[in-house]
Amino acid sequence: MNNTIQYKGYVGSIEFSEEDKIFYGKVLGIRSLISYEGENATELIDDFHQAVDDYLELCKKSGQTPETAFKGSFNVRISPELHKKVFVYAMAHQISMNRYIEETLAKSPAALEEV
């Protein structure tokens, strides 16, 4: 079971409130708060799509560039020892650390799963 939904490049969470008996969520990975809800899966998905469309329309009307969550850059904190090992390996193989890490992640079984 997947707890996210996707639309127009945006990924949204799926949560459930037992108390309110409602599904709800928000768009992940951006600073703007885009939330949605529904009493069932169909309503949740429809409201998610409408919320994204409304956000994009608001950005268009105000002349702003919509935020995107996946720019291809993120920070990773690792131990100094591992940092050194990655650096030495990359230099020995005449590649950048970024390229080495990208290639390593691409080979990961988790990275190859359908999202």
Side-chain angles (χ1 to χ4, degrees), residues 21 27 34 38-40 58 70-72 80 83 86 92-93 99:
K21 295 182 176 74
V27 172
I34 305 173
E39 291 184 9
N40 56 51
L58 179 65
F70 308 105
K71 299 173 183 83
H83 189 170
V86 170
H93 291 84
R99 182 167 175 201

Side-chain angles (χ1 to χ4, degrees), residues 12-113:
S13 64
I14 300 172
E15 305 286 337
F16 180 72
S17 170
E18 185 175 3
E19 181 180 329
D20 299 323
K21 295 182 176 74
I22 195 162
F23 292 94
Y24 66 95
K26 66 179 182 176
V27 172
L28 303 171
I30 63 174
R31 287 184 219 148
S32 297
L33 177 59
I34 305 173
S35 60
Y36 43 88
E37 63 182 47
E39 291 184 9
N40 56 51
T42 301
E43 286 183 13
L44 179 76
I45 292 168
D46 289 347
D47 201 43
F48 170 59
H49 290 185
Q50 189 61 56
V52 170
D53 288 340
D54 289 349
Y55 170 70
L56 294 173
E57 184 63 29
L58 179 65
C59 288
K60 184 178 178 181
K61 284 182 180 178
S62 65
Q64 295 179 345
T65 302
E67 291 181 70
T68 55
F70 308 105
K71 299 173 183 83
S73 175
F74 64 97
N75 293 323
V76 178
R77 289 178 183 23
I78 58 176
S79 71
E81 297 81 23
L82 183 56
H83 189 170
K84 180 181 175 184
K85 287 179 183 179
V86 170
F87 175 80
V88 170
Y89 180 90
M91 291 297 107
H93 291 84
Q94 298 180 339
I95 61 173
S96 68
M97 287 182 18
N98 282 336
R99 182 167 175 201
Y100 169 71
I101 291 168
E102 182 177 8
E103 289 174 359
T104 301
L105 289 173
K107 293 176 190 174
S108 167
L112 301 176
E113 292 178 11

